[in-house]
């Protein structure tokens, strides 16, 4: 005779009601007030601009718009004025981004030190950020004025900074650096404050100097912040319009005509909206390509 024990019956745990779908719908409804303006004022014009790039849209009450395919892109590649503007835009964007980063890094390191009136100095460094580009342009026009400008008064010269073919672009680059320093400084300062102090204390025990601490601790810790802010600065600078337009309107002789100024002239001075949209699309493609290579190299070096 064999004894058999009754095996306990396992019951499946009760299923919890799925809330993911409901929560997702509720989240979407809550985000709609913020998404609608983005779709209307950002995504909509972007898609319409891409559409215009493949048409011969022109100004005029009875102008007829037709699809031209890649014809505008072919005209753009053979346009000498576009390539001149593109070259000036790249010189502007790279120069302002690099020099702005170096100046902002130095200022952030200074503002991160223990010193008197540090809070006031940080607030003062943010002043250019609070000023509209038009106001900054008008202010610097007065600084660069050939007769009554403060710069010529200090240097004892009579240079027409914004109308001289050889120095107009460097003069505008200086204004771009001064204008963009605050936001870059804020981001770098936040990154510096996030570096653990224990790392500095550890290398100080080994007798590391200031330069060694900066090169081996500060710079590697700031790498993600540097990659992010320099990428954003490059995008902002290549798309700059208002500041340079107020300063020089692209002059003298097109020496400061950035790509966005060139697109503005094609669209609103000559009425070629389709061609201007093509230039905008081309700039977006170039910016994405440059940023892609830059980010790929940074990620490769970090790994």
């Amino acid at each position: 005779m064999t004894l058999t024990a009754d095996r306990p019956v396992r019951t499946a745990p009760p299923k919890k009601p799925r809330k993911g779908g409901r929560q997702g719908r509720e989240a979407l409804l809550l985000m709609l007030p913020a998404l609608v303006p983005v779709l209307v004022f950002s995504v909509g014009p972007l898609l319409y601009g891409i559409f215009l790039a493949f048409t011969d849209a022109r100004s005029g009450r009875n102008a007829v718009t037709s699809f031209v395919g890649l014809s505008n892109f072919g005209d753009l590649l053979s346009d000498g004025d576009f390539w001149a503007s593109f070259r000036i835009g790249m010189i502007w964007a790279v120069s302002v981004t690099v020099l702005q980063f170096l100046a902002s890094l130095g200022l952030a390191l200074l503002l991160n030190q223990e010193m008197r009136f540090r809070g006031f100095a940080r607030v003062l460094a943010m002043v250019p950020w609070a000023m509209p580009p038009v106001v900054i342009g008008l202010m610097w026009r007065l600084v660069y004025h050939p007769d009554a400008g403060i710069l010529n008064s200090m240097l004892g010269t009579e240079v027409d900074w914004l109308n001289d073919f050889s120095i107009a672009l460097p003069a505008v680059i200086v204004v771009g650096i001064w204008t963009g320093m605050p936001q870059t400084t804020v981001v770098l300062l936040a990154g510096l404050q996030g570096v653990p102090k224990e790392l500095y204390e550890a290398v100080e025990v080994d007798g590391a100097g200031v330069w060694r601490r900066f090169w081996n601790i500060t710079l590697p810790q700031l790498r993600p912040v540097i990659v992010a802010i320099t990428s954003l600065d490059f995008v902002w600078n290549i798309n700059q319009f208002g500041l340079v337009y107020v300063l020089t309107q692209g002059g003298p002789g097109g020496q400061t005509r950035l790509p966005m100024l060139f697109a503005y002239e094609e669209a609103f001075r000559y009425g070629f909206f389709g061609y201007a949209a093509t230039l905008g699309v081309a700039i977006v493609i170039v910016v994405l390509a440059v940023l892609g290579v830059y980010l790929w190299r940074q990620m490769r070096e970090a790994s």
Side-chain angles (χ1 to χ4, degrees):
M1 182 176 181
T2 59
L3 298 176
T4 59
D6 295 335
R7 301 178 64 182
V9 179
R10 295 183 180 180
T11 59
K15 295 183 178 181
K16 297 181 179 180
R18 295 183 178 181
K19 298 182 179 180
R22 182 178 178 182
Q23 291 179 349
R25 289 192 295 269
E26 292 178 352
L28 181 60
L29 289 175
L30 292 173
M31 289 189 298
L32 274 180
L35 288 177
V36 170
V38 172
L39 293 175
V40 173
F41 298 109
S42 296
V43 179
L46 175 63
L47 296 178
Y48 184 63
I50 295 175
F51 166 74
L52 286 181
F54 298 94
T55 67
D56 61 350
R58 297 186 180 185
S59 62
R61 180 173 300 178
N62 298 320
V64 178
T65 300
S66 57
F67 184 79
V68 296
L70 298 176
S71 177
N72 286 335
F73 291 92
D75 295 338
L76 193 68
L77 293 176
S78 60
D79 191 343
D81 292 336
F82 162 72
W83 288 111
S85 175
F86 179 76
R87 178 184 62 83
I88 294 172
M90 291 301 295
I91 293 174
W92 153 271
V94 173
S95 300
V96 173
T97 301
V98 173
L99 298 177
Q100 179 178 290
F101 164 72
L102 295 176
S104 299
L105 179 60
L107 183 59
L109 291 171
L110 178 63
L111 296 177
N112 195 43
Q113 303 298 319
E114 295 291 340
M115 61 180 182
R116 296 181 62 185
F117 307 111
R118 184 174 66 173
F120 176 75
R122 289 179 177 179
V123 173
L124 193 62
M126 300 300 106
V127 170
W129 201 1
M131 301 173 64
V134 174
V135 176
I136 295 175
L138 293 175
M139 182 186 72
W140 277 91
R141 279 182 66 90
L142 295 176
V143 172
Y144 284 140
H145 197 278
D147 299 323
I150 186 175
L151 184 58
N152 279 335
S153 299
M154 293 176 58
L155 299 178
T157 58
E158 296 181 356
V159 179
D160 195 351
W161 299 91
L162 297 178
N163 289 310
D164 191 305
F165 278 74
S166 59
I167 60 176
L169 183 58
V172 173
I173 288 175
V174 170
V175 181
I177 295 170
W178 184 85
T179 304
M181 277 184 59
Q183 62 264 30
T184 307
T185 302
V186 168
V187 174
L188 293 175
L189 182 59
L192 288 172
Q193 293 177 346
V195 178
K197 295 183 179 180
E198 293 79 7
L199 297 177
Y200 293 109
E201 295 173 355
V203 296
E204 285 178 0
V205 173
D206 296 336
V210 176
W211 175 251
R212 185 179 171 188
R213 292 200 301 269
F214 172 78
W215 190 258
N216 294 329
I217 302 297
T218 304
L219 208 56
Q221 292 292 318
L222 285 180
R223 178 183 290 274
V225 178
I226 293 173
V227 172
I229 191 58
T230 51
S231 300
L232 290 174
D233 284 341
F234 179 79
V235 173
W236 290 332
N237 290 325
I238 197 67
N239 289 307
Q240 181 60 253
F241 172 78
L243 179 66
V244 180
Y245 182 80
V246 174
L247 284 171
T248 63
Q249 296 186 2
Q255 294 299 309
T256 60
R257 186 168 60 178
L258 304 183
M260 292 301 104
L261 286 172
F262 181 72
Y264 167 81
E265 291 179 352
E266 291 294 324
F268 299 103
R269 179 175 294 181
Y270 306 117
F272 299 133
F273 293 119
Y275 190 68
T278 304
L279 189 145
V281 172
I283 292 299
V284 170
I285 295 173
V286 171
V287 169
L288 291 177
V290 172
L291 286 181
V293 174
Y294 172 68
L295 294 175
W296 175 76
R297 291 188 59 181
Q298 293 297 324
M299 293 174 62
R300 184 178 179 182
E301 292 177 2
S303 62

